[in-house]
Amino acid sequence: MLFNDQVNFVMQHIKKNKLRVFMTVLAATMGCAFLIVLASIGFGLQDSIEDEILSSETVTQIEVMGSQALFTAEEVADIEAVENVQTVLKTTSVDANVEGYMGDRDTSTSLRLVDFTDYASVAKPLSEGKYPETEKEIIVGYHFGQTLLNEADRKLIDEKSKAAEAEGSYYDGAEEGYKESLIGKEVEIALSTHEQPDVQSERMTYTIVGVMPKPAYEWAVENRIYMMDGQREVVENMYSQVVKEEGASDYQLFSERFDIYAESLEYVKPILEELREKGYGVYSVTEQLDELNVFFLVLKAGLVFVGTIAVLIASIGIFNTMTMAVTERTREIGVLKAIGASPKLIQRLFLMESTFIGVIGTVLAIAISYIVSFASNALLPLILKAATGEEGFNNVQFSAIPWQLVVIAAAISIGVAMISGLRPARKATKIEVMQALRQEL
C-alpha cells in the first residue's frame, strides 16, 4: 500500500467518526495548551526580571567589594593590564550638604567628581547635551530640573500632597519644578556641613552642558551634580570655609570608589576569575543572573512537569478512541490481512491516526497559547492597576513563549499521542483473519 493510500485510509475512518475524533483532538489541544501557557509564566517572569536587572545595571561592570574598593595607582595599572579590561573608573562622592541655586529656584542635591573621558566610554548616552570639556561645565541628574523649586512650587506641592494623603495616595511633585531645557543654564553651588546646614560656603558658578539618562526605576529620583575630578581642590577649599577648625583634619570629605569595566559581556567571567586569583574581592551582576537562571530552570521544569500531567490525562481519550477504532474495524483488519497486508502496515495505519490527532491538537494548542499569552500581557497589567492603583505593572511580562518551549511541548504532546495509540495498534496486528472475517458488519 502506497503512502498516499495509507493517508486516505486513515482520513476516511476519521471522517466516519467526526464527533469522537473532534472531542479527542479537543482534549489533546487543551492539555498541550495548558502545558505551554503554564510554562510560559516562568519564561515571562524570568525575562521581566532579567530585563529589569540589565536595564538598571551596566552588565559589563565589575564591582569591587568593601575596603578593597580603594586602589593605588599601581593597582589600577595592574587591573587595566588584565586582558579585555576596558577601564577602571574612579568616582568620588562628596560627603557634605550641597545646595544648587538657579534664579529664584534652589534644590538640595549631592556632588560627584568623575573622569568624564573614562565615564563616557562606559556610561549610557546622555538624555540631553554633551559631556563637560572645561572645569566650569557640569552634568546634572535627570530629575535635577524637577527638584529645582521656588516658593510657589513648594506651596503647590504641599497642597497637592495633603489632598493626595486625604485620598490615601501620594504625590511626588512631578508637575512642579523647572520645565525648560537646562542646557546652557548657570547654576550656583554652595556647600555646608551636616551639623550646620545654614552656614554655607561661597557660591561657585557652573554651566550645565548635559543631563543624565532617565533612571531605570520609576521611583528613583536622580538630581546629582557631576563635575570633573579636577575640581577636587576647589571643592575642598569651599568646604574648608565652613568646617570647624576643631577636628577638621579627622573628617573625610571625599569617598572614592573604583569600578572595573569589561570590553563586552562575554569577557566579564574570565576577568572575574583572573582578578580573584590576584586576590581582589569582585562581583558582577552577571553572577546574580546565573543564580537567577538556576532558580528559573527548576521553576520551568516544575511547570512543564505539571503541564505534562494534563497531556497525560488527554492521552486517555486518545487511547480510548484508538481502542474503539480497532474494535469497530476488526473486519476491515481481517480483509487487509487476507489480501496480504503485513502486521507492520496495520500497526502503522493506527499509529498514523493517533499521531494525526496529536499533531492537530498540538498545532491548535500552539495557536491558542500565543493568543492567551498576548492577551495576558495586554490585559493583566490593566486589571492589576485597577485592583491595586499601582503603575508598576506595565513593564512586567507575565507570559513569554520562546521557540524552545514550543518544541518541548510539541514533542511531549505528539510523543504521548503516539504512545497512546501504540497498544491499540499492536492489538490490531494480533487479530486472526478468519475470526475477523466471520464478524458481522
Side-chain angles (χ1 to χ4, degrees):
M1 182 182 290
L2 298 175
F3 180 76
N4 288 340
D5 296 329
Q6 297 175 31
V7 172
N8 292 333
F9 179 85
V10 171
M11 295 303 298
Q12 179 182 356
H13 290 287
I14 287 176
K15 290 178 181 178
K16 286 182 179 179
N17 300 281
K18 291 180 180 179
L19 182 59
R20 184 198 301 163
V21 173
F22 171 77
M23 296 304 294
T24 306
V25 170
L26 180 62
T29 301
M30 292 175 63
C32 185
F34 179 76
L35 189 161
I36 297 174
V37 172
L38 188 64
S40 73
I41 297 173
F43 283 95
L45 293 178
Q46 181 179 11
D47 289 346
S48 296
I49 295 176
E50 285 185 353
D51 289 344
E52 183 174 357
I53 292 174
L54 295 178
S55 64
S56 61
E57 301 284 351
T58 304
V59 293
T60 59
Q61 179 181 353
I62 299 173
E63 299 180 26
V64 184
M65 298 181 290
S67 59
Q68 293 186 342
L70 298 177
F71 295 146
T72 63
E74 292 76 14
E75 288 174 325
V76 171
D78 180 49
I79 294 173
E80 288 182 336
V82 174
E83 187 176 5
N84 299 315
V85 169
Q86 181 175 357
T87 188
V88 178
L89 179 64
K90 174 185 174 183
T91 56
T92 304
S93 299
V94 178
D95 188 11
N97 289 333
V98 183
E99 296 293 326
Y101 300 90
M102 192 175 76
D104 64 338
R105 299 177 179 272
D106 63 87
T107 181
S108 295
T109 179
S110 59
L111 183 59
R112 282 190 178 177
L113 309 178
V114 298
D115 183 338
F116 286 110
T117 303
D118 290 339
Y119 191 86
S121 66
V122 296
K124 295 180 180 179
L126 297 175
S127 63
E128 187 180 4
K130 62 176 184 177
Y131 285 100
E133 296 176 353
T134 67
E135 293 187 347
K136 282 297 183 178
E137 294 178 340
I138 60 172
I139 289 178
V140 295
Y142 184 83
H143 297 102
F144 187 81
Q146 177 183 322
T147 61
L148 272 173
L149 305 175
N150 53 26
E151 289 304 317
D153 287 336
R154 289 186 173 91
K155 289 181 180 179
L156 282 174
I157 291 175
D158 185 57
E159 293 173 0
K160 293 179 180 179
S161 296
K162 290 179 179 179
E165 186 177 350
E167 297 175 356
S169 59
Y170 169 77
Y171 178 65
D172 60 1
E175 297 177 1
E176 282 68 44
Y178 189 79
K179 299 302 180 184
E180 297 179 15
S181 175
L182 291 169
I183 304 301
K185 298 295 189 296
E186 291 188 344
V187 174
E188 294 179 328
I189 300 174
L191 302 184
S192 63
T193 64
H194 298 304
E195 293 77 14
Q196 293 181 304
D198 295 331
V199 181
Q200 295 185 345
S201 68
E202 178 185 350
R203 296 182 184 182
M204 299 293 291
T205 303
Y206 293 86
T207 302
I208 300 173
V209 295
V211 178
M212 285 290 187
K214 184 177 181 180
Y217 298 109
E218 292 292 333
W219 46 263
V221 177
E222 220 290 63
N223 76 328
R224 294 190 189 97
I225 294 175
Y226 299 81
M227 62 175 58
M228 287 186 173
D229 55 2
Q231 290 290 288
R232 182 176 181 130
E233 185 176 347
V234 175
V235 172
E236 194 168 12
N237 291 335
M238 290 173 64
Y239 190 75
S240 65
Q241 298 171 13
V242 294
V243 72
K244 293 181 180 179
E245 291 297 331
E246 184 178 355
S249 59
D250 297 330
Y251 185 78
Q252 186 175 350
L253 176 61
F254 299 106
S255 176
E256 297 178 346
R257 171 193 174 100
F258 289 85
D259 290 302
I260 304 162
Y261 288 84
E263 292 180 354
S264 64
L265 179 60
E266 63 184 297
Y267 300 127
V268 171
K269 286 186 179 180
I271 293 173
L272 283 171
E273 294 173 359
E274 185 168 348
L275 290 177
R276 283 170 180 161
E277 289 177 0
K278 291 176 176 287
Y280 296 104
V282 289
Y283 170 79
S284 170
V285 70
T286 57
E287 295 178 307
Q288 183 180 351
L289 290 176
D290 290 340
E291 296 171 1
L292 192 69
N293 289 337
V294 172
F295 168 78
F296 274 103
L297 178 62
V298 175
L299 175 63
K300 290 182 288 187
L303 293 175
V304 170
F305 175 76
V306 174
T308 302
I309 295 175
V311 176
L312 292 175
I313 294 173
S315 71
I316 297 174
I318 299 176
F319 177 82
N320 289 336
T321 296
M322 298 311 302
T323 301
M324 289 293 295
V326 171
T327 303
E328 292 173 351
R329 300 177 198 168
T330 300
R331 186 176 179 84
E332 294 180 30
I333 294 170
V335 172
L336 287 173
K337 281 192 169 184
I339 62 176
S342 65
K344 286 186 178 180
L345 174 60
I346 294 172
Q347 179 174 311
R348 189 186 307 125
L349 291 173
F350 285 93
L351 282 177
M352 286 175 64
E353 186 169 338
S354 65
T355 302
F356 173 83
I357 293 173
V359 169
I360 296 300
T362 300
V363 171
L364 293 175
I366 292 171
I368 292 172
S369 298
Y370 273 105
I371 294 173
V372 172
S373 177
F374 177 79
S376 299
N377 291 327
L379 298 178
L380 280 179
L382 300 178
I383 295 172
L384 292 173
K385 179 182 176 181
T388 64
E390 299 291 335
E391 297 281 350
F393 299 104
N394 293 331
N395 296 327
V396 178
Q397 188 173 11
F398 294 92
S399 175
I401 305 178
W403 66 266
Q404 296 94 328
L405 176 58
V406 173
V407 171
I408 292 171
I412 292 174
S413 180
I414 296 173
V416 168
M418 294 177 66
I419 294 172
S420 300
L422 186 59
R423 183 174 177 81
R426 287 180 177 176
K427 180 181 177 182
T429 64
K430 297 178 182 178
I431 294 176
E432 297 292 338
V433 176
M434 295 305 297
Q435 181 183 352
L437 293 175
R438 280 198 297 266
Q439 181 172 323
E440 295 182 4
L441 293 173

